[in-house]
Amino acid sequence: VCIHRVRSCSSIRFIKSKYVCVFDKSALKFSHQQRLFRTSAVSCGQIVQFKLSDIGEGITEVTVKEWYVKEGDSVSQFDSICEVQSDKASVTITSRYDGIIRKLHYSIDDIAFVGKPLVDIEIDASKGVASEEDVVETPPMSHEEHTHQEIKGHKTLATPAVRRLAMENNIKLSEVVGTGKDNRILKEDILNYLAKQTGAILPPSPKAEIVPPQRRAEAVPAAPKDKARKIPVPVSRPIAFAGKDKTEPVTGFQKAMVKTMSAALKIPHFGYSDEVDLTQLVQLREELKPLAEMRGVKLSFMPFFMKAASLGLLQYPILNSSLDENCQNVTYKASHNIGVAMDTGQGLIVPNVKNVQVCSVFDIAVELNRLQSLGSAGQLGTSDLTGGTFTLSNIGTIGGTYAKPVILPPEVAIGALGKIQVLPRFNSKGEVFKAQIMNVSWSADHRIIDGATMARFSNLWKSYLENPASMLLDLK
């Protein structure tokens, strides 16, 4: 046995095959650089650097928002490693290996780069799952260290979405029987397990039998109950001159807004505004809300606005198109992927509901509920935030009546919806009545859309909302 750079210690044992040599500390003094040399049941694992793979959409860097593991944790394939946020979406990174986390290369809110190591994972070298360029030097680990590693239970296969669903409902995956391939746990397995534990009845599918609403005694819609006027409460902020200037990098969704709006303001916009009488729609929604709640869905006005817009886009497809960079070709989009601007803690985001042209009002409401829940938690995926063809922004939920919305490239039109107000209006007999009035402001790309087209589309959209029953004639 050759010994180099050995630090003196009370007793060192070298174990190799059947031979054991014991050296006293007085015999181990060298003039070379000293280093502690420990051996006892050295592990045969190898360390691989798990690199951040290409997320797509041209993303080169992300911000680490949350770690689901720590150094020393055991992980299996498909286990969640961390959650990262790009300027487009939040993404959950999952493990490619079975092994033990040895090093986290980033802290919370650090910038991680695509192609660079994210974590170091110790794997079993005998399995040969790592490529040579991923393998780094394996530090020796004592048997004592190995036996104190945290064990997370038996291996379970599930996607990050299923794991998050289980976590939100405090369900241990080890207690759920997977029905997928290789006993993979599916979303349905979680829901069935939850139903058995709680005795809950899962909400029926949209094709379930619809209970007819009870007819009201009065045909004229009742005036809404007077609500106490909400007075904005100012947010307590530190005095400006008491502190120091602080500089922060533009990251996440703010960074995306910088890019998008810089490109958007190169488009020649024109605006068009109108008011819509939603008196009949307000009454219809009040009748349908209990039915939607029975199915576990919150029904807002937005599904009606989106469906009416989709019906209008069928008649005016130029508003559901895109123009190439050279302004030589117009692409008419087959799908109506209507985006909804949302105000979240991370900033302005615009997820979209796919294929609204083939969705019912209830289908749209279900998808909106999902997007709003994920948006509030900052967990929207890239697919939810890309592919939009037309956008509606409901600024009225915060306040205001008119707005000047900015087009979201490569789209060519956008609408901003104001708040619904009870205002006096005249009916066909010249009588004054209480009307539910909402203002709408449209912006369009004046390079390919003229004011007359925008006005005709707005009139058609308005007619569907003012007479909701008329939508039944055109629904497919």
Side-chain angles (χ1 to χ4, degrees), residues 79-80 156-177 185-195 197-198 379:
D79 279 356
S80 298
T156 57
L157 296 179
T159 63
V162 172
R163 291 180 183 277
R164 187 171 294 278
L165 179 62
M167 180 179 65
E168 291 173 351
N169 291 279
N170 296 320
I171 298 175
K172 295 182 179 179
L173 289 178
S174 58
E175 299 177 356
V176 181
V177 178
I185 299 175
L186 307 178
K187 178 181 178 182
E188 291 76 12
D189 300 329
I190 299 293
L191 296 177
N192 291 333
Y193 179 87
L194 185 63
Q197 296 297 317
T198 62
Q379 298 169 0

Side-chain angles (χ1 to χ4, degrees), residues 426-451:
F426 292 96
N427 60 18
S428 58
K429 300 179 180 180
E431 301 169 339
V432 177
F433 71 100
K434 293 181 179 180
Q436 304 278 352
I437 301 298
M438 181 189 74
N439 300 110
V440 60
S441 304
W442 303 101
S443 289
D445 187 339
H446 215 340
R447 294 174 298 182
I448 58 172
I449 299 174
D450 55 65

Side-chain angles (χ1 to χ4, degrees), residues 120-430:
D120 288 353
I121 304 178
E122 180 179 352
I123 63 173
D124 187 351
S126 62
K127 296 183 179 180
V129 295
S131 58
E132 292 184 1
E133 63 270 14
D134 288 340
V135 179
V136 299
E137 182 183 357
T138 305
M141 181 181 67
S142 68
H143 178 70
E144 293 177 356
E145 292 173 318
H146 179 72
T147 55
H148 285 84
Q149 298 300 331
E150 179 182 357
I151 304 300
K152 289 189 174 181
H154 69 275
K155 179 178 178 180
T156 57
L157 296 179
T159 63
V162 172
R163 291 180 183 277
R164 187 171 294 278
L165 179 62
M167 180 179 65
E168 291 173 351
N169 291 279
N170 296 320
I171 298 175
K172 295 182 179 179
L173 289 178
S174 58
E175 299 177 356
V176 181
V177 178
T179 59
K181 183 179 179 181
D182 299 328
N183 296 323
R184 183 183 295 275
I185 299 175
L186 307 178
K187 178 181 178 182
E188 291 76 12
D189 300 329
I190 299 293
L191 296 177
N192 291 333
Y193 179 87
L194 185 63
K196 291 178 181 178
Q197 296 297 317
T198 62
I201 301 176
L202 298 179
S205 64
K207 295 183 179 180
E209 181 180 0
I210 299 178
V211 181
Q214 299 179 351
R215 299 187 64 86
R216 296 192 177 187
E218 298 179 0
V220 180
K225 297 180 180 179
D226 293 336
K227 298 181 180 179
R229 184 177 180 180
K230 296 181 179 180
I231 301 176
V233 179
V235 179
S236 177
R237 299 182 182 275
I239 302 174
F241 57 78
K244 297 181 179 180
D245 293 347
K246 182 174 66 172
T247 302
E248 295 180 347
V250 178
T251 59
F253 295 130
Q254 282 186 330
K255 192 172 184 178
M257 188 162 61
V258 170
K259 296 178 182 178
T260 305
M261 293 298 99
S262 297
L265 292 180
K266 296 178 182 179
I267 299 173
H269 287 55
F270 80 89
Y272 177 83
S273 299
D274 200 357
E275 71 172 35
V276 187
D277 184 355
L278 299 181
T279 304
Q280 293 187 37
L281 182 61
V282 169
Q283 178 184 355
L284 176 63
R285 174 178 171 265
E286 289 299 318
E287 294 175 352
L288 296 180
K289 275 178 62 178
L291 298 179
E293 290 174 356
M294 289 173 59
R295 303 186 187 185
V297 176
K298 180 180 178 181
L299 182 63
S300 64
F301 288 104
M302 184 56 73
F304 297 97
F305 299 153
M306 296 174 70
K307 190 60 185 179
S310 179
L311 293 175
L313 294 176
L314 292 173
Q315 301 297 322
Y316 300 96
I318 188 65
L319 296 174
N320 195 61
S321 66
S322 64
L323 185 64
D324 65 4
E325 293 182 0
N326 297 323
C327 300
Q328 299 296 319
N329 299 288
V330 178
T331 302
Y332 293 86
K333 305 292 185 178
S335 298
H336 296 171
N337 300 338
I338 300 181
V340 182
M342 293 183 181
D343 177 44
T344 68
Q346 293 80 31
L348 176 67
I349 57 176
V350 189
N352 59 83
V353 177
K354 302 289 194 296
N355 298 309
V356 175
Q357 76 279 4
V358 295
C359 293
S360 66
V361 171
F362 182 77
D363 292 337
I364 300 170
V366 171
E367 182 65 4
L368 277 178
N369 280 207
R370 183 186 72 86
L371 294 175
Q372 288 167 347
S373 298
L374 293 177
S376 299
Q379 298 169 0
L380 286 167
T382 305
S383 60
D384 295 324
L385 295 168
T386 57
T389 61
F390 187 87
T391 298
L392 291 176
S393 176
N394 191 8
I395 193 64
T397 56
I398 302 176
T401 52
Y402 288 97
K404 187 179 180 182
V406 179
I407 299 170
L408 185 64
E411 301 172 17
V412 295
I414 184 174
L417 312 174
K419 63 181 179 181
I420 301 176
Q421 306 176 88
V422 178
L423 298 173
R425 290 296 183 266
F426 292 96
N427 60 18
S428 58
K429 300 179 180 180

